Structure formats: structure tokens, C-alpha cells
Amino acid sequence: MLIEVWSDVVCPWCYIGKRRLEKALAEFPHAAEVEVVWRSFQLDPSYPKGERTSTYEYLAKKFGGSPQQAKGMTGQVKAVAAGEGLAFDFDRARVVNTYDAHRVTHLAKAHGLGPQAHERFLHAHFVEGATLNDSDTLAGLAAEVGVPEAEVRKVLAGDQYSDEVDADIRDARTLGASGVPFFVLDRAFGVSGAQPVETFLSALQRAHDHAAASAR
């Protein structure tokens, strides 16, 4: 079974949904037959490259109100994340354009390290306050999971893997995803959002049963 997950590395619900999917897979009896592939998506592709804004200032501008009110908005998300074992620190998190970060995740995928890079970037943004539009930061984080740093810097100096990122984003639109996380099982079943573990388990079983029936 193939599970494709469209996600952005600065999307809080993507990280929460990732943990819930992992919990569901831990309970799924056929988990050994499952491959998870992470696909690129940008929550805000219009955000200027090279800039970085505090999460509270960004939310205040996007939804109206003050940064302090925006901080209150993140409180519930932080509490939900804590329930999944994630210590979100929105005080330190900075909103950036994630296009280059996604290009690096595709380089990582070429090395068989796509899931590791995706997890590392999510953790770096939400827990450590790392700025994911900084070349040194991206190169260092990718190197931590085994991606050659020199290759990361070469990718960031050019436009390599742009086609792959663009293709992922087009596929998401074609499949009807208007936001992330978006989970697609065998291109037959979709789960939108950071659903409860039980929802993921149900989708996993349906996809498994469908594949078994199709093989008869």
C-alpha cells in the first residue's frame, strides 16, 4: 500500500497529522506492507522568499487582530500538539517561504532519506525555532539525517528539484486538495486533515481490503 502525504514543513496540523498516522500504523496489522511518501505543498506560496516573520505577526496580518490575539489562537494548537508528544514553541517559530526547503526534501528523497528530512524540518521549525529559508540551516539539518551537505548547497544555489516540487503541488490540486495535510492511500482513498487515529485506521483497513479484493 502506498500512502502519499501532501504536507508543508511549517504546517502545524501536518506535524500533528503525521504523528497520528504513525500511531495508526503502529496498530495496523499490515503496516509492513505500507510505504509512506511525503509530497510537497506550500501553505502560502505568495510569501516573499528571503523574508521571515514571527508566527504571531503573520497570523495577525492574515486574520486580523493583534499579535497577542494571534498568540491566543495558537494556544489550542499547542495543546493538541502536546497531546501527540510535540512541544510546539510558537514564540520562536518564524514563517518563511518553504519552496527551497521542499527542494531539499526532494534531494533527500533521492538519497532514500525523504521521511527523515521531512521529520527533521518539522521538528526544527516547530520545536527549535529554526528558520527554514536559510541555506546554512537547511544544509545543516539535511546533513544531520545523512544528506551530503555539499549537494544541499549545490541544490540551493540553483533551481534543481523545482520541477518535482511543482509537480507535487499540481498533483495535490488535481486530487482536490485545497489544504494540508492531505493523505491519499493507493490513489483510491483520501483523508483530509489531522484526523483522529481511528479515522486513519479505518482508511488503512478500507484501502487494504480494496487492494485484496482487486487482486482476486
Side-chain angles (χ1 to χ4, degrees):
M1 182 192 307
L2 175 65
I3 301 178
E4 297 167 277
V5 189
W6 278 263
S7 171
D8 198 356
V9 291
V10 295
C11 164
W13 291 106
C14 292
Y15 206 3
I16 292 167
K18 182 177 187 294
R19 282 293 182 268
R20 290 177 174 174
L21 173 64
E22 290 165 352
K23 289 180 179 179
L25 286 170
E27 298 180 30
F28 185 54
H30 308 286
E33 305 168 18
V34 176
E35 177 188 4
V36 180
V37 174
W38 297 92
R39 303 291 189 194
S40 299
F41 191 92
Q42 285 193 285
L43 286 178
D44 187 358
S46 68
Y47 188 87
K49 288 188 175 182
E51 292 190 13
R52 54 194 66 159
T53 308
S54 80
T55 298
Y56 305 138
E57 291 176 358
Y58 176 82
L59 292 175
K61 183 176 180 179
K62 183 174 182 178
F63 297 110
S66 68
Q68 191 61 34
Q69 288 172 315
K71 184 174 183 177
M73 290 170 56
T74 64
Q76 181 183 0
V77 180
K78 185 174 181 178
V80 174
E84 303 299 335
L86 298 169
F88 281 8
D89 187 352
F90 287 108
D91 288 351
R92 299 170 65 192
R94 295 292 178 267
V95 175
V96 299
N97 185 297
T98 57
Y99 193 84
D100 284 343
H102 284 296
R103 292 199 297 122
V104 175
T105 63
H106 278 277
L107 169 64
K109 186 183 297 184
H111 285 275
L113 297 166
Q116 293 89 331
H118 191 73
E119 169 69 27
R120 188 67 191 93
F121 286 177
L122 285 166
H123 189 274
H125 174 76
F126 286 106
V127 180
E128 301 169 12
T131 50
L132 297 184
N133 67 344
D134 177 78
S135 294
D136 290 337
T137 298
L138 291 172
L141 292 171
E144 286 182 25
V145 300
V147 184
E149 185 171 335
E151 292 188 30
V152 179
R153 293 187 182 279
K154 182 179 179 181
V155 165
L156 291 172
D159 62 358
Q160 193 175 3
Y161 295 108
S162 294
D163 289 346
E164 288 82 352
V165 174
D166 294 343
D168 278 356
I169 294 171
R170 283 197 305 272
D171 279 351
R173 301 300 187 192
T174 299
L175 290 167
S178 57
V180 286
F182 187 62
F183 305 80
V184 178
L185 291 71
D186 282 341
R187 291 282 169 129
F189 300 92
V191 177
S192 181
Q195 298 295 329
V197 172
E198 294 75 19
T199 301
F200 283 117
L201 278 169
S202 177
L204 287 166
Q205 191 60 55
R206 286 202 311 273
H208 180 268
D209 292 346
H210 180 267
S214 300
R216 291 174 189 158

